[in-house]
Amino acid sequence: MTKPTTAREAGERRYARFATGSVGFVERHGLWNAEQRAAADALEETLSGLEFVRVGFGDPHGLMRSKTLTVDAFRTALRNGIDMSPGPFVFDTGHAVGVDFFAPGGGIGIPELTGAGDFLIVPDPLTFKVLPYTEAATGWVIADEYLRDGSAHPLSSRAVLRRQCARAAERGLSYVVGLEVEWYVTRLADAREHGPAAASATAAAAVGGFGVQGEPPAVEPVNSGYQFNLDTFTDGLMHVITPLARALRELGLPLRTVEHESGPGQLEFTFSPMNGLDAADAMLLFRTVAKQVCARLGHHASFMALPRLERFDPSGWHLHQSLFDTAADRNAFVPQEGAALLSDEGLGYVAGLLEHAADIALFAIPTVNGYRRLDEQFSLSPDRVVWSAENRGALVRVLGGPGEESTHLENRIGEPCANPYLYLGSQLAAGLDGIVRGLRPGGLAQDPHAPTEAALPRDLAEAVAAMEGSALARDLLGKPLHDCLAQLKRSEVSRFGAWLAGSDPAGPGETTVWEHREYFGAY
């Protein structure tokens, strides 16, 4: 027998739909396709067993920003959306205000940003997961950002990638991406403080004001490193790797391989090919989950390129990519006949990546620290705009060959903390431009570090300048996001420069105290 509904309960249900967002926002603006509507309808059974749902989005820096909702609140927010503060759009990597949101239009042409006005995020039901490691049964879902009129928020990086995937689809092509990500596991120095908050507790203790980072987590290396792929090192970390790998698989991520790289506790995870948007969503989830699972085990996961820790090597994010011809049901990079290395589409794509390499470097290497990977002493990292059939020192490497159905490109420029939507979106935009214009790359590089070849940006300031002068970057982002990202990154560069002016300089290629404090904890 059903328990009668009290007048108070009836009132709570009646008014609940007015509690957040904009009533009927999704339906009113036609924001979901049939697949999303079906997924939303199917969620009810799952929600009944949960206590909370985390709803968030990837900010311009590639970090997940979220709110945790009770299940009842999420049921309403699913179709109404949720009000969000624009803080993630206006703070730089150190939480300093980089965009003047009190200026008209926030100084970047968005009226709703003026005075730090809210915007709406709408959960994408296709991304809904149940986290398998939380203390309370908790869902996790990526949301899309919108203005009040139902249009995509101009600062949404997920919308950037979605637009580029749609451009490819108009040509009958699907963007296929494989993730290869290097990152570090370290042990929190005080094991008594292990737990979900341990990795960030110290970093959160700012010493006053926006943009003033506290000290990064104190950590210890988990092994001595420098025995590449040594099975003993991998086995010694299985108490961390196993629960993380299980969590990733339970979340539906196609984890493929795990290996120990060269540095102490440096791991590489690879994932099976996915379509572009799914791959970017997976990267956002992977980094978030890795940090949370490791923290619960008394360890710290960091996707910072080169921490300021003795004898640590730099980590990269190597992006494997190809295009799939949906009508012909084949890999569009494989030539139909002959002994050519790539098809015409593949050659055009390579040429586009090379022509725009400097202009889009910022999207692959968005931090001060990431450019330390491009130092010539690290010969397996690119510093010149060249391509090669197999050389790991080249910017673009071709894997496969004539007749190989798995033929694809590997871009080796990225750092592991890059915004996945902007990294992938910029790669696809550059590659499609090369195809549309019929571009062809020059000859294969014999020496990937030859000083006669065009250089990649040497630091973040050069990358920002190249992005600001790029027509492709402006078209890719739209003016508001283009201006926003430039302002955020100039703020980051300025704060680093001010710190350098008042500090003893580090040695050549050495990570500074500022960088370690800025990136090691948050990323």
Side-chain angles (χ1 to χ4, degrees), residues 321 348-357 360 395-396 409 411 427 430-431:
Q321 54 192 311
Y349 198 98
V350 170
L353 292 180
L354 298 180
E355 175 161 309
H356 299 291
I360 63 175
L395 172 67
V396 179
L409 308 176
N411 196 321
Q427 294 286 292

Side-chain angles (χ1 to χ4, degrees), residues 91-176:
F91 294 131
D92 71 8
T93 52
H95 213 61
V97 177
V99 175
D100 184 4
F101 52 84
F102 283 115
I108 54 176
I110 304 175
E112 289 186 24
L113 187 61
T114 307
D118 282 349
F119 65 100
L120 293 178
I121 61 172
V122 173
D124 181 348
L126 295 176
T127 68
F128 191 90
K129 313 282 186 182
V130 176
L131 298 176
Y133 54 85
T134 52
E135 293 70 25
T138 302
W140 190 93
V141 64
I142 296 173
D144 289 303
E145 309 99 301
Y146 291 96
L147 297 177
R148 293 281 174 181
D149 64 4
S151 60
H153 199 295
L155 301 184
S156 169
S157 53
R158 192 169 190 246
V160 169
L161 177 57
R162 183 182 280 113
R163 289 194 297 268
Q164 294 306 310
C165 289
R167 281 189 61 213
E170 290 172 358
R171 301 182 66 86
L173 300 170
S174 176
Y175 189 35
V176 181

Side-chain angles (χ1 to χ4, degrees), residues 150-240:
S151 60
H153 199 295
L155 301 184
S156 169
S157 53
R158 192 169 190 246
V160 169
L161 177 57
R162 183 182 280 113
R163 289 194 297 268
Q164 294 306 310
C165 289
R167 281 189 61 213
E170 290 172 358
R171 301 182 66 86
L173 300 170
S174 176
Y175 189 35
V176 181
V177 173
L179 305 175
E180 178 187 337
V181 189
E182 297 167 349
W183 57 290
Y184 271 102
V185 172
T186 51
R187 184 183 302 108
L188 291 167
D190 189 342
R192 293 171 301 176
E193 295 181 2
H194 79 274
S200 58
T202 306
V207 292
F210 285 138
V212 182
Q213 295 284 59
E215 290 303 311
V219 299
E220 301 167 346
V222 293
N223 55 45
S224 60
Y226 300 101
Q227 289 294 328
F228 183 72
N229 284 173
L230 186 66
D231 188 71
T232 302
F233 280 167
T234 303
D235 183 70
L237 285 172
M238 290 308 293
H239 65 290
V240 176

Side-chain angles (χ1 to χ4, degrees), residues 92 368 460-461 487-501 514:
D92 71 8
V368 169
L460 184 59
Q487 291 179 31
L488 292 175
K489 289 301 162 182
R490 283 201 300 266
S491 173
E492 189 176 339
V493 168
S494 176
R495 288 191 301 103
F496 179 58
W499 182 87
L500 281 178
W514 185 95

Side-chain angles (χ1 to χ4, degrees), residues 259-510:
E259 63 184 77
H260 196 287
E261 284 279 330
S262 56
Q266 187 181 39
L267 297 176
E268 177 183 281
F269 277 29
T270 71
F271 297 82
S272 297
M274 294 170 268
N275 74 59
L277 189 61
D278 286 347
D281 288 344
M283 185 65 176
L284 184 67
L285 178 58
F286 163 52
R287 292 190 307 215
T288 303
V289 169
K291 293 184 78 68
Q292 293 173 5
V293 169
C294 286
R296 282 171 166 78
L297 297 169
H299 289 69
H300 177 61
S302 182
F303 294 84
M304 178 183 179
L306 184 56
R308 185 182 167 87
L309 296 170
E310 187 176 358
R311 300 176 67 246
F312 273 44
D313 273 354
S315 296
W317 172 7
H318 304 151
L319 193 66
H320 296 257
Q321 54 192 311
S322 62
L323 294 174
F324 189 79
D325 186 326
T326 53
D329 193 33
R330 67 176 183 85
N331 181 347
F333 285 179
V334 178
Q336 291 296 285
E337 55 186 25
L341 185 62
L342 291 169
S343 67
D344 288 345
E345 291 89 346
L347 291 171
Y349 198 98
V350 170
L353 292 180
L354 298 180
E355 175 161 309
H356 299 291
D359 296 348
I360 63 175
L362 176 66
F363 308 125
I365 315 176
T367 70
V368 169
N369 179 255
Y371 290 86
R372 299 197 181 280
R373 286 185 56 247
L374 275 55
D375 190 297
E376 62 182 12
Q377 68 173 301
F378 301 119
S379 59
L380 294 182
S381 298
D383 64 343
R384 301 285 161 174
V385 183
V386 298
W387 71 303
S388 170
E390 271 295 344
N391 197 313
R392 280 183 164 83
L395 172 67
V396 179
R397 173 181 174 226
V398 180
L399 287 83
E404 288 284 348
E405 286 302 316
S406 61
T407 295
H408 65 276
L409 308 176
E410 176 191 20
N411 196 321
R412 298 178 59 81
I413 190 174
E415 64 174 317
C417 65
N419 181 321
Y421 304 105
L422 299 184
Y423 187 9
L424 272 63
S426 62
Q427 294 286 292
L428 183 54
L432 288 176
D433 184 63
I435 292 174
V436 170
R437 293 166 55 202
L439 301 181
R440 291 294 178 267
L444 297 171
Q446 300 304 311
D447 176 6
H449 304 290
T452 53
E453 300 289 352
L456 289 166
R458 294 170 297 177
D459 55 35
L460 184 59
E462 283 192 11
V464 173
M467 188 273 291
E468 287 187 283
S470 168
L472 181 133
R474 287 194 298 273
D475 290 343
L476 170 71
L477 302 179
K479 189 177 187 305
L481 182 53
H482 180 272
D483 292 352
C484 177
L485 199 62
Q487 291 179 31
L488 292 175
K489 289 301 162 182
R490 283 201 300 266
S491 173
E492 189 176 339
V493 168
S494 176
R495 288 191 301 103
F496 179 58
W499 182 87
L500 281 178
S503 305
D504 293 332
E510 181 183 343

